[in-house]
Amino acid sequence: MATIAIDPRVSSRTAGFVSTDHRMLVDGRFVKAASGKTFPVYNPATGDVIAHVPEAEAEDVNRAVLAARRAFDDGAWVRMAPSERGRLLWKLADLLEKNLDEFAELESLDNGKPFAIARVADVPYSVDMFRYMGGWATKITGSTIPLSCGYDFHSYTVREPVGVVGQIIPWNFPLLMAAWKLAPALACGCTVVLKLAEQTPLTGLRLAQLIDEAGFPPGVVNVLTGYGEGAGAPLAAHDMVDKVAFTGSTEVGKLIVKAATGNLKKVTLELGGKSPAIVFADAKLEQAVAGTASAIFFNHGQCCCAGSRLYVHEKVFDQVVEGVGKIAEDIKLAPGLDPSSQMGPLVSDEQYRKVVGYIESGIAEGAQVAAGGPVSGMERGWFVRPTVLTNTNPRMKVVQEEIFGPVVCAVPFSDAEIDKIIQRANDTVYGLASSVWTQNLSLAHKVARGIRAGTVWVNCHNVFDASLPFGGYKQSGWGREMGEQVLNNYTETKAVTVAL
Ligand code: NAI
Ligand code: MG
């Protein structure tokens, strides 16, 4: 294999893992792709190839699904005491926590995000998700139900695991998305085939080693690396998969739904967004400026819930745009492993081109650049400057489409009716998240009620917790992740009625 350039700042332990001969986890064994094929993994800060990983295709998917099927059907996992399943999830969390720095380095190297962010957000939130869901393993209960059709019956419900689950995740929070998907499925007693994002497979492959170390039985968790069409599509279509859970683009979400029709497998989707942040004139401006800047610039705007449409009352519009623009201009762009980095590169050349293309299209359609712009000024790497656009109109691509980069469209609104601003905020095919910035309690709740989205934040944005359900209205998805509600995604309800 060609020599590989790894960032000299990573520890020898991380470098050691990156340069290993990578294997996927299938049926409790670490394996190459059936074809022997591999594909390259890049450092987005430089564009250098840093590793090669197995390229799973239909045959590998089939082997992994058969392993998960066997592990489910032989009953040992399903029959395992819930407390024991919970204990395994806790053990995995402990192992992850023990290797916090290594995972943060890997994530930074592979995805581009600042090491400091991965260390305080991605990895600890993943740890927390495994612990939180480990707690649920013993609390997945049914109910007893009084029947009106007759007295001489005893009826109750049981919640049973849905079966073999195919999970397909994106690259924006590679480890965290794996945790969001795996933890609830395993707590419920499902077995899993997880396909990692092709752009960012490294933390998922390392997690697979910890899953093995924690002692999950063979076949309960299978982890594949491969491309969307090559590996994701056959997983979504596989007849022995009972359910598919997907996070990614709305476009691919629709393909997943089609692929699932063969055996009518259950589908949950966590898709795109074009989330509004609405700042009223009475908002605490300092808080609103910092908060709405972070709403769009956190994780380089590569968040499905990024606050990418900033509606600001005209009285404070200039102040807010200037404040957010200043934050944008002051953000230090540098490779994620550079300790001075406040924003790293975007994840891939494809995303870089896409986001720069959006900025250029906005400008071509008449938008003004209040901060940032299409030229990063960086010598190499897929960097995009945090950008604020003004003077847009509601039909522009930059206002309607998900950019998935650090680009916000700021739009003023007047004293017009509240309903009008709610209508504008809802003028999108998406409905994932939103934030509202005001000191007026009743106004905040009115807007919260009017917004058609799965999350409304008041005087904050991007607050996540393992206990809070998250997901989309409209074309932002089906079902909810996290919280108690995610258990619905991974269980079937059985009604048992006994004639007494
Ligand atoms: P994508 O939707 O193509 O990829 C997400 C996952 O789906 C990856 O694991 C990929 O391999 C897999 N995939 C792709 N095509 C598939 C298919 N036909 N069948 C089954 N699986 C398939 O997203 P991509 O191309 O990485 O990013 C494109 C855009 O999607 C972004 O610019 C952003 O707008 C949106 N996106 C949204 C995310 C979210 O969190 N909601 C995450 C990532 C991307
Ligand atoms: Mg794609």
Side-chain angles (χ1 to χ4, degrees):
M1 207 164 280
T3 46
I4 278 177
I6 300 172
D7 192 298
R9 287 168 289 216
V10 300
S11 65
S12 57
R13 192 188 161 115
T14 302
F17 175 73
V18 176
S19 49
T20 48
D21 183 13
H22 291 284
R23 306 289 173 104
M24 309 183 288
L25 177 60
V26 176
D27 208 5
R29 286 193 303 272
F30 287 91
V31 300
K32 299 182 174 189
S35 67
K37 283 201 254 179
T38 62
F39 65 91
V41 180
Y42 298 91
N43 175 352
T46 59
D48 293 335
V49 172
I50 50 171
H52 291 87
V53 298
E55 183 180 339
E57 292 174 311
E59 173 59 22
D60 306 278
V61 169
N62 195 43
R63 289 179 190 180
V65 169
L66 288 177
R69 191 75 257 170
R70 216 177 309 119
F72 188 80
D73 291 343
D74 82 8
W77 176 242
V78 181
R79 279 196 309 271
M80 181 184 277
S83 60
E84 188 63 13
R85 279 208 309 273
R87 201 187 57 79
L88 278 173
L89 284 163
W90 268 78
K91 189 157 176 205
L92 180 57
D94 290 346
L95 289 171
L96 195 53
E97 196 167 49
K98 211 173 98 191
N99 294 286
L100 169 69
D101 284 325
E102 184 194 348
F103 273 89
E105 278 190 344
L106 268 180
E107 205 71 305
S108 175
L109 182 66
D110 199 6
N111 165 281
K113 66 181 70 195
F115 167 77
I117 298 289
R119 199 176 183 285
V120 299
D122 298 65
V123 186
Y125 275 66
S126 304
V127 169
D128 199 46
M129 182 56 64
F130 285 116
R131 293 213 174 111
Y132 174 85
M133 289 298 164
W136 270 116
T138 49
K139 298 164 195 74
I140 299 168
T141 55
S143 44
T144 56
I145 300 173
L147 301 193
S148 297
C149 66
Y151 179 72
D152 289 330
F153 296 103
H154 171 51
S155 284
Y156 59 92
T157 57
V158 259
R159 312 250 319 269
E160 296 180 342
V162 74
V164 174
V165 179
Q167 302 185 320
I168 300 171
I169 58 170
W171 43 261
N172 50 343
F173 297 90
L175 178 69
L176 187 61
M177 291 301 102
W180 279 25
K181 289 279 183 283
L182 288 173
L186 297 171
C188 290
C190 296
T191 60
V192 177
V193 177
L194 172 69
K195 192 201 80 72
L196 305 171
E198 58 270 34
Q199 298 85 351
T200 54
L202 296 180
T203 46
L205 288 174
R206 182 74 182 98
L207 182 70
Q209 294 181 341
L210 298 189
I211 286 167
D212 183 57
E213 193 181 332
F216 284 86
V220 167
V221 184
N222 305 274
V223 179
L224 300 178
T225 46
Y227 291 108
E229 276 177 33
L235 180 57
H238 204 293
D239 274 353
M240 286 189 191
V241 172
D242 298 299
K243 185 234 154 71
V244 61
F246 171 77
T247 298
S249 61
T250 293
E251 182 194 353
V252 172
K254 291 176 184 177
L255 296 177
I256 300 280
V257 170
K258 284 196 193 123
T261 54
N263 68 340
L264 285 179
K265 60 175 67 65
K266 311 293 189 267
V267 179
T268 46
L269 305 168
E270 204 260 271
L271 307 175
K274 191 74 185 173
S275 299
I278 310 171
V279 181
F280 288 94
D282 73 323
K284 283 190 181 163
L285 279 197
E286 212 174 306
Q287 182 193 41
V289 165
T292 56
S294 148
I296 181 64
F297 300 140
F298 175 65
N299 210 43
H300 322 168
Q302 300 170 132
C303 295
C304 44
C305 54
S308 51
R309 290 180 297 144
L310 175 58
Y311 294 102
V312 187
H313 192 279
E314 58 187 7
K315 264 194 223 153
V316 292
F317 183 78
D318 290 346
Q319 257 171 292
V320 170
V321 167
E322 203 188 303
V324 173
K326 174 147 185 10
I327 290 174
E329 296 288 350
D330 287 349
I331 286 174
K332 165 90 170 129
L333 288 185
L337 287 160
D338 180 331
S340 73
S341 174
Q342 292 174 320
M343 187 183 278
L346 300 191
V347 73
S348 65
D349 191 37
E350 185 186 348
Q351 286 304 117
Y352 168 80
R353 285 169 201 279
K354 187 175 156 183
V355 173
V356 170
Y358 271 116
I359 300 175
E360 285 168 347
S361 101
I363 295 170
E365 288 184 279
Q368 269 162 16
V369 178
V375 181
S376 82
M378 301 289 283
E379 253 164 52
R380 54 186 193 151
W382 300 313
F383 291 90
V384 173
R385 284 166 71 196
T387 295
V388 181
L389 300 177
T390 56
N391 203 33
T392 58
N393 72 58
R395 303 268 65 88
M396 282 184 185
K397 263 172 56 159
V398 284
V399 177
Q400 284 298 323
E401 296 177 17
E402 178 172 59
I403 298 176
F404 226 64
V407 183
V408 66
C409 298
V411 180
F413 65 88
S414 64
D415 263 328
E417 293 287 87
I418 294 294
D419 296 350
K420 290 238 176 74
I421 188 61
I422 292 175
Q423 246 173 40
R424 282 170 86 180
N426 286 335
D427 181 19
T428 162
V429 297
Y430 296 114
L432 193 60
S434 57
S435 59
V436 47
W437 303 79
T438 175
Q439 295 298 297
N440 179 333
L441 196 61
S442 122
L443 178 60
H445 285 295
K446 245 185 229 162
V447 177
R449 182 183 283 182
I451 296 279
R452 304 261 307 145
T455 293
V456 180
W457 285 295
V458 178
N459 296 326
C460 57
H461 200 111
N462 285 336
V463 177
F464 284 96
D465 195 278
S467 62
L468 268 177
F470 179 79
Y473 284 35
K474 300 195 275 185
Q475 293 190 34
S476 288
W478 292 352
R480 293 292 177 268
E481 312 246 29
M482 303 197 285
E484 181 177 1
Q485 240 185 322
V486 71
L487 305 174
N488 297 334
N489 297 357
Y490 295 106
T491 50
E492 297 273 21
T493 299
K494 180 181 282 174
V496 180
T497 295
V498 185
L500 300 175

mmCIF file of all heavy atoms in Angstrom, residues 128-153:
data_model
loop_
_atom_site.group_PDB
_atom_site.id
_atom_site.type_symbol
_atom_site.label_atom_id
_atom_site.label_comp_id
_atom_site.label_asym_id
_atom_site.label_seq_id
_atom_site.Cartn_x
_atom_site.Cartn_y
_atom_site.Cartn_z
ATOM 1 N N ASP A 128 -22.256 9.367 26.691
ATOM 2 C CA ASP A 128 -23.498 9.590 27.414
ATOM 3 C C ASP A 128 -24.671 8.844 26.769
ATOM 4 O O ASP A 128 -25.549 8.323 27.463
ATOM 5 C CB ASP A 128 -23.785 11.102 27.441
ATOM 6 C CG ASP A 128 -24.760 11.450 28.533
ATOM 7 O OD1 ASP A 128 -24.571 10.956 29.661
ATOM 8 O OD2 ASP A 128 -25.724 12.184 28.259
ATOM 9 N N MET A 129 -24.671 8.806 25.449
ATOM 10 C CA MET A 129 -25.767 8.120 24.749
ATOM 11 C C MET A 129 -25.761 6.622 25.073
ATOM 12 O O MET A 129 -26.814 6.033 25.339
ATOM 13 C CB MET A 129 -25.612 8.334 23.235
ATOM 14 C CG MET A 129 -26.694 7.722 22.389
ATOM 15 S SD MET A 129 -28.358 8.260 22.810
ATOM 16 C CE MET A 129 -28.233 9.988 22.414
ATOM 17 N N PHE A 130 -24.582 6.006 25.091
ATOM 18 C CA PHE A 130 -24.533 4.574 25.433
ATOM 19 C C PHE A 130 -25.005 4.352 26.870
ATOM 20 O O PHE A 130 -25.731 3.408 27.162
ATOM 21 C CB PHE A 130 -23.117 4.011 25.224
ATOM 22 C CG PHE A 130 -22.792 3.801 23.758
ATOM 23 C CD1 PHE A 130 -21.777 4.515 23.128
ATOM 24 C CD2 PHE A 130 -23.521 2.887 22.995
ATOM 25 C CE1 PHE A 130 -21.496 4.336 21.779
ATOM 26 C CE2 PHE A 130 -23.249 2.699 21.644
ATOM 27 C CZ PHE A 130 -22.230 3.419 21.031
ATOM 28 N N ARG A 131 -24.621 5.257 27.781
ATOM 29 C CA ARG A 131 -25.045 5.092 29.186
ATOM 30 C C ARG A 131 -26.554 5.296 29.326
ATOM 31 O O ARG A 131 -27.230 4.522 29.986
ATOM 32 C CB ARG A 131 -24.315 6.108 30.073
ATOM 33 C CG ARG A 131 -22.845 5.832 30.154
ATOM 34 C CD ARG A 131 -22.245 6.210 31.507
ATOM 35 N NE ARG A 131 -20.867 5.765 31.518
ATOM 36 C CZ ARG A 131 -19.803 6.585 31.504
ATOM 37 N NH1 ARG A 131 -19.968 7.888 31.560
ATOM 38 N NH2 ARG A 131 -18.588 6.069 31.475
ATOM 39 N N TYR A 132 -27.040 6.365 28.699
ATOM 40 C CA TYR A 132 -28.470 6.684 28.817
ATOM 41 C C TYR A 132 -29.309 5.516 28.276
ATOM 42 O O TYR A 132 -30.257 5.068 28.917
ATOM 43 C CB TYR A 132 -28.768 7.979 28.042
ATOM 44 C CG TYR A 132 -30.230 8.324 27.984
ATOM 45 C CD1 TYR A 132 -30.842 9.033 29.014
ATOM 46 C CD2 TYR A 132 -31.006 7.928 26.899
ATOM 47 C CE1 TYR A 132 -32.202 9.337 28.964
ATOM 48 C CE2 TYR A 132 -32.359 8.225 26.842
ATOM 49 C CZ TYR A 132 -32.942 8.934 27.872
ATOM 50 O OH TYR A 132 -34.282 9.227 27.823
ATOM 51 N N MET A 133 -28.934 4.999 27.117
ATOM 52 C CA MET A 133 -29.713 3.912 26.521
ATOM 53 C C MET A 133 -29.499 2.603 27.287
ATOM 54 O O MET A 133 -30.400 1.766 27.367
ATOM 55 C CB MET A 133 -29.361 3.750 25.039
ATOM 56 C CG MET A 133 -29.877 4.895 24.181
ATOM 57 S SD MET A 133 -31.702 4.993 24.232
ATOM 58 C CE MET A 133 -31.960 6.637 23.574
ATOM 59 N N GLY A 134 -28.308 2.450 27.870
ATOM 60 C CA GLY A 134 -28.073 1.285 28.737
ATOM 61 C C GLY A 134 -29.087 1.278 29.875
ATOM 62 O O GLY A 134 -29.597 0.226 30.274
ATOM 63 N N GLY A 135 -29.424 2.439 30.367
ATOM 64 C CA GLY A 135 -30.427 2.553 31.431
ATOM 65 C C GLY A 135 -31.820 2.128 30.968
ATOM 66 O O GLY A 135 -32.592 1.552 31.730
ATOM 67 N N TRP A 136 -32.114 2.406 29.694
ATOM 68 C CA TRP A 136 -33.442 2.054 29.187
ATOM 69 C C TRP A 136 -33.632 0.542 29.019
ATOM 70 O O TRP A 136 -34.762 0.054 28.996
ATOM 71 C CB TRP A 136 -33.709 2.747 27.838
ATOM 72 C CG TRP A 136 -34.356 4.080 27.993
ATOM 73 C CD1 TRP A 136 -33.833 5.298 27.640
ATOM 74 C CD2 TRP A 136 -35.649 4.355 28.545
ATOM 75 N NE1 TRP A 136 -34.708 6.299 27.945
ATOM 76 C CE2 TRP A 136 -35.836 5.751 28.504
ATOM 77 C CE3 TRP A 136 -36.659 3.560 29.081
ATOM 78 C CZ2 TRP A 136 -36.999 6.363 28.967
ATOM 79 C CZ3 TRP A 136 -37.815 4.174 29.549
ATOM 80 C CH2 TRP A 136 -37.968 5.558 29.495
ATOM 81 N N ALA A 137 -32.525 -0.193 28.860
ATOM 82 C CA ALA A 137 -32.649 -1.626 28.557
ATOM 83 C C ALA A 137 -33.567 -2.330 29.552
ATOM 84 O O ALA A 137 -34.312 -3.247 29.190
ATOM 85 C CB ALA A 137 -31.265 -2.273 28.539
ATOM 86 N N THR A 138 -33.557 -1.890 30.810
ATOM 87 C CA THR A 138 -34.378 -2.544 31.840
ATOM 88 C C THR A 138 -35.745 -1.899 32.006
ATOM 89 O O THR A 138 -36.499 -2.264 32.908
ATOM 90 C CB THR A 138 -33.652 -2.475 33.198
ATOM 91 O OG1 THR A 138 -33.223 -1.119 33.406
ATOM 92 C CG2 THR A 138 -32.454 -3.405 33.240
ATOM 93 N N LYS A 139 -36.058 -0.932 31.166
ATOM 94 C CA LYS A 139 -37.303 -0.164 31.404
ATOM 95 C C LYS A 139 -38.221 -0.128 30.185
ATOM 96 O O LYS A 139 -39.024 0.787 30.029
ATOM 97 C CB LYS A 139 -36.949 1.265 31.840
ATOM 98 C CG LYS A 139 -36.180 1.263 33.153
ATOM 99 C CD LYS A 139 -35.489 2.571 33.442
ATOM 100 C CE LYS A 139 -34.459 2.402 34.539
ATOM 101 N NZ LYS A 139 -33.220 1.697 34.107
ATOM 102 N N ILE A 140 -38.075 -1.105 29.310
ATOM 103 C CA ILE A 140 -38.908 -1.119 28.101
ATOM 104 C C ILE A 140 -40.133 -1.993 28.408
ATOM 105 O O ILE A 140 -40.076 -3.218 28.335
ATOM 106 C CB ILE A 140 -38.103 -1.631 26.893
ATOM 107 C CG1 ILE A 140 -36.921 -0.685 26.675
ATOM 108 C CG2 ILE A 140 -38.982 -1.710 25.649
ATOM 109 C CD1 ILE A 140 -35.887 -1.184 25.720
ATOM 110 N N THR A 141 -41.201 -1.335 28.798
ATOM 111 C CA THR A 141 -42.336 -2.058 29.360
ATOM 112 C C THR A 141 -43.585 -1.878 28.504
ATOM 113 O O THR A 141 -43.689 -0.947 27.716
ATOM 114 C CB THR A 141 -42.661 -1.518 30.765
ATOM 115 O OG1 THR A 141 -42.866 -0.107 30.664
ATOM 116 C CG2 THR A 141 -41.526 -1.781 31.741
ATOM 117 N N GLY A 142 -44.547 -2.750 28.703
ATOM 118 C CA GLY A 142 -45.855 -2.608 28.088
ATOM 119 C C GLY A 142 -46.855 -2.138 29.134
ATOM 120 O O GLY A 142 -46.476 -1.572 30.157
ATOM 121 N N SER A 143 -48.143 -2.381 28.850
ATOM 122 C CA SER A 143 -49.146 -1.957 29.817
ATOM 123 C C SER A 143 -50.257 -2.994 29.885
ATOM 124 O O SER A 143 -50.375 -3.853 29.001
ATOM 125 C CB SER A 143 -49.702 -0.587 29.422
ATOM 126 O OG SER A 143 -49.958 -0.550 28.043
ATOM 127 N N THR A 144 -51.069 -2.905 30.917
ATOM 128 C CA THR A 144 -52.273 -3.745 30.960
ATOM 129 C C THR A 144 -53.430 -2.873 30.526
ATOM 130 O O THR A 144 -53.478 -1.685 30.854
ATOM 131 C CB THR A 144 -52.544 -4.286 32.377
ATOM 132 O OG1 THR A 144 -52.629 -3.179 33.268
ATOM 133 C CG2 THR A 144 -51.470 -5.239 32.824
ATOM 134 N N ILE A 145 -54.347 -3.480 29.765
ATOM 135 C CA ILE A 145 -55.377 -2.673 29.105
ATOM 136 C C ILE A 145 -56.771 -3.217 29.420
ATOM 137 O O ILE A 145 -57.051 -4.390 29.127
ATOM 138 C CB ILE A 145 -55.120 -2.658 27.582
ATOM 139 C CG1 ILE A 145 -53.733 -2.054 27.331
ATOM 140 C CG2 ILE A 145 -56.203 -1.874 26.852
ATOM 141 C CD1 ILE A 145 -53.263 -2.112 25.923
ATOM 142 N N PRO A 146 -57.615 -2.384 30.026
ATOM 143 C CA PRO A 146 -58.981 -2.838 30.309
ATOM 144 C C PRO A 146 -59.800 -2.869 29.014
ATOM 145 O O PRO A 146 -59.771 -1.898 28.250
ATOM 146 C CB PRO A 146 -59.520 -1.772 31.278
ATOM 147 C CG PRO A 146 -58.673 -0.572 31.048
ATOM 148 C CD PRO A 146 -57.372 -1.004 30.472
ATOM 149 N N LEU A 147 -60.472 -3.976 28.734
ATOM 150 C CA LEU A 147 -61.248 -4.084 27.499
ATOM 151 C C LEU A 147 -62.714 -3.733 27.753
ATOM 152 O O LEU A 147 -63.265 -4.080 28.796
ATOM 153 C CB LEU A 147 -61.174 -5.507 26.944
ATOM 154 C CG LEU A 147 -59.783 -6.042 26.618
ATOM 155 C CD1 LEU A 147 -59.910 -7.325 25.782
ATOM 156 C CD2 LEU A 147 -58.932 -5.024 25.862
ATOM 157 N N SER A 148 -63.322 -3.068 26.781
ATOM 158 C CA SER A 148 -64.745 -2.747 26.888
ATOM 159 C C SER A 148 -65.600 -3.781 26.181
ATOM 160 O O SER A 148 -66.816 -3.824 26.338
ATOM 161 C CB SER A 148 -65.026 -1.366 26.290
ATOM 162 O OG SER A 148 -64.330 -0.399 27.038
ATOM 163 N N CYS A 149 -64.954 -4.638 25.370
ATOM 164 C CA CYS A 149 -65.739 -5.623 24.607
ATOM 165 C C CYS A 149 -66.134 -6.806 25.486
ATOM 166 O O CYS A 149 -66.915 -7.658 25.079
ATOM 167 C CB CYS A 149 -64.964 -6.094 23.384
ATOM 168 S SG CYS A 149 -63.489 -7.013 23.804
ATOM 169 N N GLY A 150 -65.595 -6.891 26.665
ATOM 170 C CA GLY A 150 -65.976 -8.001 27.533
ATOM 171 C C GLY A 150 -65.110 -7.981 28.775
ATOM 172 O O GLY A 150 -63.950 -7.542 28.710
ATOM 173 N N TYR A 151 -65.681 -8.453 29.890
ATOM 174 C CA TYR A 151 -64.964 -8.375 31.152
ATOM 175 C C TYR A 151 -63.980 -9.531 31.320
ATOM 176 O O TYR A 151 -62.939 -9.389 31.958
ATOM 177 C CB TYR A 151 -65.976 -8.370 32.308
ATOM 178 C CG TYR A 151 -65.312 -8.316 33.657
ATOM 179 C CD1 TYR A 151 -64.688 -7.132 34.095
ATOM 180 C CD2 TYR A 151 -65.277 -9.443 34.474
ATOM 181 C CE1 TYR A 151 -64.058 -7.091 35.321
ATOM 182 C CE2 TYR A 151 -64.640 -9.396 35.709
ATOM 183 C CZ TYR A 151 -64.042 -8.222 36.138
ATOM 184 O OH TYR A 151 -63.418 -8.182 37.334
ATOM 185 N N ASP A 152 -64.308 -10.667 30.695
ATOM 186 C CA ASP A 152 -63.546 -11.872 31.005
ATOM 187 C C ASP A 152 -62.298 -12.046 30.161
ATOM 188 O O ASP A 152 -62.038 -13.108 29.593
ATOM 189 C CB ASP A 152 -64.461 -13.104 30.868
ATOM 190 C CG ASP A 152 -65.476 -13.129 31.992
ATOM 191 O OD1 ASP A 152 -65.147 -12.626 33.091
ATOM 192 O OD2 ASP A 152 -66.596 -13.619 31.753
ATOM 193 N N PHE A 153 -61.591 -10.970 30.023
ATOM 194 C CA PHE A 153 -60.316 -11.022 29.303
ATOM 195 C C PHE A 153 -59.253 -10.331 30.127
ATOM 196 O O PHE A 153 -59.541 -9.389 30.884
ATOM 197 C CB PHE A 153 -60.417 -10.308 27.948
ATOM 198 C CG PHE A 153 -61.380 -10.947 26.994
ATOM 199 C CD1 PHE A 153 -62.635 -10.402 26.770
ATOM 200 C CD2 PHE A 153 -61.017 -12.105 26.302
ATOM 201 C CE1 PHE A 153 -63.526 -10.987 25.892
ATOM 202 C CE2 PHE A 153 -61.905 -12.687 25.413
ATOM 203 C CZ PHE A 153 -63.165 -12.138 25.202
#
